[in-house]
């Protein structure tokens, strides 16, 4: 395994992964390989931040694109619907739904959608092409001043490659009608490099109802200059359509009404179109990024079947069409204080969501039959921050930061009573200490505050659009306060981290089965610990692992203090063996434990354990791969909920039951890649 300064040697080297990815360094023709072997002692601000490079996950079986986030220790990505929908994320005892407290960025542009038609903070990563991801920087907790909204649990930042050493063509074929193709390459243009890639995916899945996933996405990126003085401009087009098998009631499976991979409503599914244009520039100590996104989303779901409407059913459709525009700026000022090095960073970001339509509709057979609520919304925000890092001694660093954010909105609802304007603001302090106890051990202490925004429609609602009864309003910005102590050890071929944390959240976002979306609930607190390690004991063997334990509760809710779907135990790990310099094999395990499904803890999910394996063979310019997903054909669940639903013929009050979405059965995928 190579480190941050390793230079790719040749396209046929299985162990480096440099046959695919690269970034411009000080020398625009030098390719830097990132990976877990990077030594962050003397650099990191906390024990729970790190970098994962393409080298770390190039030989890693992936069922879905969103599982790229599982390269972050302790982070789990599952799915409770069709593959075209954003994943469900779990981290530090949070059921993050589709991204409520996990901030995501790609090349500096934010991915989370606020006041989204389906769920607050919706973070859909399906537009990414894994082979064109250079690295993932991750940070857990609310300790970093440059990120605001959705960052309470953590932040993941993807960087795509600037160029490829050689063009590639790739084809993948798998069970259950899975087909995927990729063509990508780069070439010199003017004083820079132009990268182009296009990816297409077809999949039916193991479901009784064919998923009929049809996805096409691409990346066009022009970059020029170096990492210190240069810029890049990129265009990301993405289009996906799919049919969905949502979670189903366990009783329907147990009685034989449906197969384990069956459905209750065969008219569910969705489509997403995303077109983004973004650019980043580095000019000495200043970094600037701008972005613009067109987004169109439609999703049809049915979670309670015939509980609310015994005639037409409870199927509903959610829509979202918007433009998102904004930018970020950061400037570093080197200085000294009492003869010690001081780095001052100032910056800010701004964002405007022009939401032309966000709506909830009653539907039947996949077609809209009535409008529950439809809105046009202007939502804007701005944030500024300042941070100073002082080298108190040669081994002790202190970082103090402060951030301020303001969010404003103008909601124009189809029911004028639910329209309104307003704004909310918040100030966020940050403090960190890092002590390099030895050349191989660093200790950390962190305190910080962050927040997630709530759907601004909750700030203006006067009457429930479904029942026309008075409704309470919700504050838009929910504060999170975190504390963390950590340690990082690095001995070259072995590095490990250990952290303990505590997090308080002013308002939890919890999934509601009757509404099919997240709803603001009461204050919560969490504490727990995490550990991760990377070990390269032999030139042909690489091992990594991570684990986390979390205790999560609602505050001041005796007997009703359990947070639904707050997973308490997460374990993941794996190993890769380079059998020869051309052949590698890998195996990985991922486990997440039981979780409460309702507040009194009377219903709990069962643990889920999956093992994936792969074998990779480089023959000249051709690379062959065989991935086996769910190697032991586990019959576990990707997600489980507990709520009331009603099937036809059941009592009008419905039945309280577990509702589950099973993991997909064992399947094999074969990939062939040619490097030109």
């Amino acid at each position: 395994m190579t480190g941050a300064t390793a230079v790719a040697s040749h396209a046929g080297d299985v162990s480096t992964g440099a046959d695919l990815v690269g970034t411009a360094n000080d020398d625009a023709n030098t390719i830097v390989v990132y990976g877990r072997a990077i030594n962050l002692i003397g650099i990191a601000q906390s024990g729970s931040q790190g970098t994962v490079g393409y080298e770390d996950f190039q030989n890693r079986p992936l069922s879905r694109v969103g599982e790229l986030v599982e390269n972050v220790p302790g982070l789990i990505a599952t799915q409770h619907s069709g593959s075209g929908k954003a994943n469900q994320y779990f981290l530090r005892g949070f059921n993050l739904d589709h991204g409520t407290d996990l901030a995501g960025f790609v090349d500096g542009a934010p991915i989370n959608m606020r006041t989204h038609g389906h769920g607050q903070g919706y973070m859909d990563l399906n537009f990414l092409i894994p082979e064109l991801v250079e690295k993932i920087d991750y940070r857990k907790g609310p300790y970093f001043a440059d990120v605001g909204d959705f960052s309470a649990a953590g932040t993941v930042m993807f960087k795509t490659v600037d160029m490829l050493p050689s063009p590639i063509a790739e084809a993948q074929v798998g069970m259950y009608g899975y087909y995927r193709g990729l063509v990508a390459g780069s070439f010199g243009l003017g004083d820079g490099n132009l990268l182009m890639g296009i990816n297409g995916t077809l999949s039916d899945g193991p479901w009784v109802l064919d998923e009929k996933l049809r996805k096409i996405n691409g990346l066009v990126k022009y970059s020029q200059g170096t990492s210190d003085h240069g810029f890049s401009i990129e265009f990301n087009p993405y289009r996906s359509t799919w049919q969905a098998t949502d979670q189903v009631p366990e009783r329907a499976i147990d009685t034989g009404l449906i197969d384990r991979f069956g459905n209750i409503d065969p008219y569910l599914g969705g489509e997403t179109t995303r077109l983004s244009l973004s650019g980043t520039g580095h000019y000495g100590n200043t970094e600037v990024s701008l972005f613009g996104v067109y987004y169109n989303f439609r999703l049809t779901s049915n979670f309670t079947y015939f509980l609310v409407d015994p005639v037409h059913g409870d199927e509903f459709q959610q829509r979202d069409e918007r433009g998102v525009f904004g930018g970020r700026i950061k400037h570093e000022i080197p200085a000294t204080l009492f003869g010690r090095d001081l780095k001052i960073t100032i910056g800010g970001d701004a964002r405007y969501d022009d939401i032309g339509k966000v709506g909830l509709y009653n539907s039947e057979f996949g077609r809209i039959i009535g409008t529950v609520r439809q809105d046009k919304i202007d939502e804007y925000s701005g944030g500024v921050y300042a941070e100073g890092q002082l080298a108190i001694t040669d081994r002790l660093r202190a970082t103090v930061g402060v951030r301020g954010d303001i969010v404003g909105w103008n909601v124009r609802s189809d029911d004028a009573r639910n329209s309104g304007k307003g704004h909310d603001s918040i100030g966020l302090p940050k403090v960190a200490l890092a002590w390099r106890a030895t050349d191989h051990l660093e200790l950390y202490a962190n305190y910080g505050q962050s927040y997630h925004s709530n759907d601004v429609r909750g700030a203006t609602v006067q009457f429930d659009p479904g029942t026309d009864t008075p409704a309470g309003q919700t504050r838009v910005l929910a504060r999170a306060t975190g504390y963390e102590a950590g340690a990082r050890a690095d001995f070259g071929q072995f590095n490990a981290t250990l952290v303990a944390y505590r997090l308080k959240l002013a308002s939890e976002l919890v999934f509601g089965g009757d509404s099919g979306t997240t709803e603001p609930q009461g204050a919560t607190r969490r504490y727990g610990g995490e550990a991760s390690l990377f070990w390269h004991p032999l030139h042909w063997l690489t091992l990594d692992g991570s684990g986390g334990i979390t205790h999560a509760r609602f505050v001041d809710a005796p007997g009703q203090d359990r947070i639904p779907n707050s997973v308490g135990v997460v374990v993941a790990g794996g190993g890769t063996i380079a059998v020869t310099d051309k052949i590698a094999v890998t195996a990985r395990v991922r486990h997440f434990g039981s979780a409460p499904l309702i507040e009194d803890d009377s219903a709990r999910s069962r643990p889920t354990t999956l093992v994936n394996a792969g074998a990779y063979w480089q023959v000249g310019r051709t690379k062959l791969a065989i991935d086996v997903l769910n190697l032991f054909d586990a019959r576990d669940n990707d997600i489980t909920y507990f709520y009331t639903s009603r099937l036809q013929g059941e009592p009008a009050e419905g039945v309280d039951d577990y509702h589950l979405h099973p993991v997909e059965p064992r399947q094999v995928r074969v990939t062939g890649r040619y490097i030109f």
Side-chain angles (χ1 to χ4, degrees), residues 593-604:
S594 174
L597 300 179
I598 54 178
E599 287 79 0
D600 65 5
D601 201 28
S602 61
R604 296 184 64 88

Side-chain angles (χ1 to χ4, degrees), residues 331-381:
H331 180 68
E332 295 181 353
I333 305 171
T336 59
L337 182 65
F338 303 119
R340 307 300 304 181
D341 289 340
L342 172 65
K343 183 176 74 173
I344 300 172
T345 304
I346 57 175
D349 53 72
R351 172 171 168 172
Y352 169 54
D353 287 59
D354 179 12
I355 306 173
K357 181 199 311 186
V358 57
L360 175 64
Y361 312 89
N362 294 318
S363 62
E364 186 178 18
F365 308 123
R367 298 180 180 275
I368 292 175
I369 59 174
T371 299
V372 178
R373 177 170 182 171
Q374 182 172 295
D375 302 87
K376 293 183 178 180
I377 300 172
D378 296 307
E379 185 170 355
Y380 52 88
S381 65

